[in-house]
Amino acid sequence: MSRPLAAITGASSGIGEVFARRLAVDHDLLLIARRRDRLEKLGAELFQQHGSAVEILAADLTGDKDLALVETRLAAEPRLELLINNAGFGTKGLFWETPLEGQEQMHALHVIAPMRLCRAALGAMVPRDHGGIINVASVAAFIRRAGGASYGSTKSWMTVFTEALYLELRSVGSHVAVQALCPGFTYSEFHDAMKVSRESMASSSFWLTAEEVVDASLEGLRNRKLFVIPGWRYRMIVALVTKLPAMLRVAIESRIARERSAK
Ligand SMILES: NC(=O)c1ccc[n+]([C@@H]2O[C@H](COP(=O)([O-])OP(=O)(O)OC[C@H]3O[C@@H](n4cnc5c(N)ncnc54)[C@H](OP(=O)(O)O)[C@@H]3O)[C@@H](O)[C@H]2O)c1
């Protein structure tokens, strides 16, 4: 019998790769990212280990043509059970000093691509009343930071968008699940690509493994949780920050930003 299909963007490394490894046990996979060689190697390994049929879609999701291909593929897939919008990247530097191109690509990857892929997937899942979507946001959705204007705001968009989808699905009594996964600092290639040292970001007790993040997410999906924040430290911080009056929150964040820039 054919297995359900999980489509994962950004499956060539980090959190997306671990999602693929975990889901390969009982799913066929559609793996999406730019680095075809990485996806092919992972696909061959997962086929050998678990017998999962793995389809590779080498796509740059910031480009309209590639995005449309993935969108069409998802909309036409009757076995689509899970979509994981995970592809993403970070930048460093003040908004007006960093190249516009990178900021535009970030909005395309973190906002336009998940929005279009969610629409394609839901069009197939809602009539079947079955399936789920995980949108990988960040704790940065809740905590603003100087040097992360586009990152924090695009990830905030993702949590608001996912919550709104949850409400819409509930409003029609749908059993399709949606989740905003909000990890904190996680070991992956993310900070290497940004060319920042992990030590400069946070002490080691704050770092999560991609396995911890993915396991919390999949457990949250089984329990139909809308927001999943892996790690008790991050759950505490987000609970506290989101309860502060805006003026107090901004005052604390400004102080941290000034202290960081003085270093
Ligand atoms: N690591 C953290 O501390 C952390 C914290 C909170 C949230 N997150 C979020 O977690 C998600 C996964 O990141 P990660 O930590 O696993 O980092 P990662 O190891 O750098 O993985 C990022 C993935 O996104 C893909 N990607 C990047 N640009 C793409 C594009 N234009 N088109 C298609 N795919 C693209 C990359 O593949 P290719 O290069 O092959 O295209 C790669 O597979 C991101 O959304 C990130 O914002 C990470």
Side-chain angles (χ1 to χ4, degrees):
M1 214 175 88
S2 68
R3 309 203 298 177
L5 186 88
I8 307 167
T9 73
S12 60
S13 64
I15 295 170
E17 180 183 332
V18 174
F19 265 119
R21 290 185 181 281
R22 291 291 196 253
L23 292 167
V25 175
D26 48 10
H27 286 73
D28 287 341
L29 299 172
L30 176 61
L31 303 182
I32 305 149
R34 292 166 301 182
R35 288 172 291 178
R36 178 184 287 280
D37 55 336
R38 289 277 200 110
L39 297 178
E40 281 175 347
K41 191 161 171 268
L42 178 63
E45 189 188 326
L46 297 179
F47 173 69
Q48 201 159 35
Q49 273 178 5
H50 305 289
S52 24
V54 182
E55 183 182 335
I56 304 300
L57 263 179
D60 180 345
L61 295 172
T62 64
D64 193 55
K65 203 166 144 226
D66 283 5
L67 181 57
L69 276 177
V70 180
E71 214 174 9
T72 309
R73 179 69 189 80
L74 292 186
E77 176 52 64
R79 291 179 305 136
L80 183 66
E81 186 182 80
L82 199 51
L83 165 66
I84 304 176
N85 281 306
N86 164 75
F89 69 96
T91 52
K92 56 180 178 182
L94 300 174
F95 174 68
W96 61 92
E97 290 177 358
T98 44
L100 178 61
E101 195 190 358
Q103 309 291 335
E104 284 187 329
Q105 282 173 351
M106 183 173 281
H107 282 76
L109 190 62
H110 294 179
V111 178
I112 303 298
M115 182 272 289
R116 282 177 52 176
L117 298 186
C118 278
R119 194 163 185 283
L122 287 173
M125 289 173 181
V126 172
R128 293 200 305 268
D129 201 22
H130 180 72
I133 297 179
I134 296 170
N135 288 326
V136 184
S138 169
V139 291
F142 306 103
I143 304 162
R144 282 63 164 173
R145 187 177 65 83
S150 286
Y151 188 77
S153 53
T154 55
K155 294 297 186 178
S156 290
W157 174 87
M158 205 170 236
T159 58
V160 175
F161 177 66
T162 310
E163 184 174 335
L165 291 182
Y166 179 91
L167 295 175
E168 291 193 8
L169 289 163
R170 281 286 169 101
S171 76
V172 295
S174 173
H175 292 95
V176 175
V178 287
Q179 176 189 120
L181 170 62
C182 304
F185 293 116
T186 306
Y187 293 110
S188 70
E189 295 179 13
F190 185 89
H191 294 91
D192 305 324
M194 280 173 76
K195 297 190 171 56
V196 293
S197 73
R198 290 184 180 79
E199 301 71 50
S200 70
M201 302 305 289
S203 71
S204 60
S205 56
F206 277 89
W207 284 84
L208 301 163
T209 63
E211 285 77 8
E212 286 171 317
V213 169
V214 168
D215 290 345
S217 172
L218 293 176
E219 192 194 336
L221 190 72
R222 282 190 289 276
N223 298 323
R224 310 184 77 76
K225 275 182 81 173
L226 168 58
F227 292 108
V228 172
I229 303 172
W232 64 267
R233 288 181 177 82
Y234 289 110
R235 282 194 291 280
M236 263 178 51
I237 293 169
V238 171
L240 189 70
V241 164
T242 50
K243 280 182 190 64
L244 291 176
M247 290 308 288
L248 181 56
R249 175 177 54 74
V250 174
I252 295 168
E253 285 163 344
S254 304
R255 190 180 173 146
I256 294 170
R258 275 199 306 276
E259 282 172 5
R260 280 218 180 109
S261 76
K263 274 185 190 165

